[in-house]
């Protein structure tokens, strides 16, 4: 009995050390993120890609139209589909009438810092399943202290939200137990939201389907694979269907051309004609 109490007491001490270490890591990560977003000076933070996201969010908040076209306040813009919708939808939540751009940027970046802090915890929980407690603490510390992950929160770009959604998806798709089917439905929806933040990951859904079919985590693997893919497809297809109803096409047909052309040779055009 004495031995049992000793073992139980040691386990309690170990748990306290682990949770205390995680709390310190998360607190340090939160302090670094909030200090960075509140004390960094960014010259013209609404420019380039951030400017497009900003205009999309503004038009959503002011006109209820998804468009990067800048118009007079009384004129509704024409809809388009150049950028995926989730991050502009996220930004649109922060718009208020007559709000200064500086206040808007501060509000967004502070929330991004908090989301990035939650990402530390998600990283720990995911690593806990893969590399054990000590490895998970190391992973959480690396995420908390990574200069790139800390600094990306100060920009109006997709990286913070994308990372958060991706980790939520990873944790959910690994979930087991009696709620497995529900978790796979949620995982499909989360991957769709992730893909509608940054499009390139949409094809990862096929990799996940193959993994579920061959994974030992699941019974009824083919049924579970179908459940996951249907959830992903139903959520993801909302965007192409919106594009078809608004634009008459499932996507912007210039996206691939822009990606290949401008990615390799920016501003390389014949006589300045964009259509070339």
């Amino acid at each position: 009995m004495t031995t049992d109490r000793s073992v139980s007491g040691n386990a309690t001490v170990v748990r306290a050390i682990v949770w205390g270490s995680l709390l310190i890591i998360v607190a340090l990560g939160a302090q670094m993120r909030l200090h960075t977003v509140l004390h960094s000076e960014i010259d013209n933070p609404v420019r380039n890609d951030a400017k497009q996201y900003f205009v999309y969010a503004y038009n959503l908040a002011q006109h209820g139209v998804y468009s990067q076209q800048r118009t007079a306040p009384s004129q509704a813009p024409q809809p388009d589909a150049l950028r995926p919708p989730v991050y502009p939808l996220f930004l649109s939540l922060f718009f208020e009438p007559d709000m200064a751009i500086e206040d808007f940027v501060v509000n967004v970046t502070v929330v991004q810092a908090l989301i990035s802090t939650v990402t530390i915890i998600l990283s720990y929980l995911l690593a806990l399943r893969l590399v054990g407690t000590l490895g998970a603490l190391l992973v959480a510390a690396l995420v908390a202290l990574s200069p790139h992950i800390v600094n990306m929160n100060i920009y109006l770009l997709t990286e913070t939200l994308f990372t958060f959604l991706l980790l939520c998806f990873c944790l959910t798709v690994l979930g087991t137990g009696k709620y497995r089917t529900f978790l796979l439905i949620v995982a499909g929806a989360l991957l769709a939201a992730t893909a509608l933040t940054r499009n390139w990951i949409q094809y990862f859904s096929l990799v996940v389907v193959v993994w579920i079919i061959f994974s030992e985590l699941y019974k009824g693997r083919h049924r579970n694979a179908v459940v996951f893919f249907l959830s992903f497809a139903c959520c993801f297809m909302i965007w192409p269907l919106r594009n078809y109803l608004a634009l008459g096409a499932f996507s912007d047909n210039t996206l691939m051309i822009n990606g290949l052309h401008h990615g390799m040779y920016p501003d390389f055009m014949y006589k300045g004609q964009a259509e070339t």
Side-chain angles (χ1 to χ4, degrees), residues 51-70:
K51 187 174 185 179
Q52 290 189 354
Y53 292 127
F54 177 85
V55 175
Y56 273 120
Y58 174 84
N59 285 332
L60 277 171
Q62 295 297 113
H63 303 288
V65 178
Y66 192 77
S67 172
Q68 65 165 330
Q69 183 182 9
R70 287 172 288 174

Side-chain angles (χ1 to χ4, degrees), residues 131-200:
V131 294
T133 302
L134 291 178
L137 287 174
L138 177 60
V139 168
L142 291 173
V143 172
L145 300 175
S146 166
H148 174 73
I149 297 176
V150 171
N151 281 292
M152 70 186 185
N153 301 295
I154 66 179
Y155 300 104
L156 301 184
L157 297 173
T158 60
E159 279 80 354
T160 298
L161 186 61
F162 175 82
T163 303
F164 171 77
L165 291 171
L166 183 60
L167 284 173
C168 286
F169 156 73
C170 291
L171 279 170
T172 308
V173 80
L174 288 173
T176 57
K178 62 180 180 179
Y179 300 111
R180 182 184 297 114
T181 300
F182 172 74
L183 290 174
L184 285 173
I185 293 172
V186 174
L190 284 170
L191 185 58
T194 308
L196 292 175
T197 304
R198 304 188 76 168
N199 277 341
W200 62 268

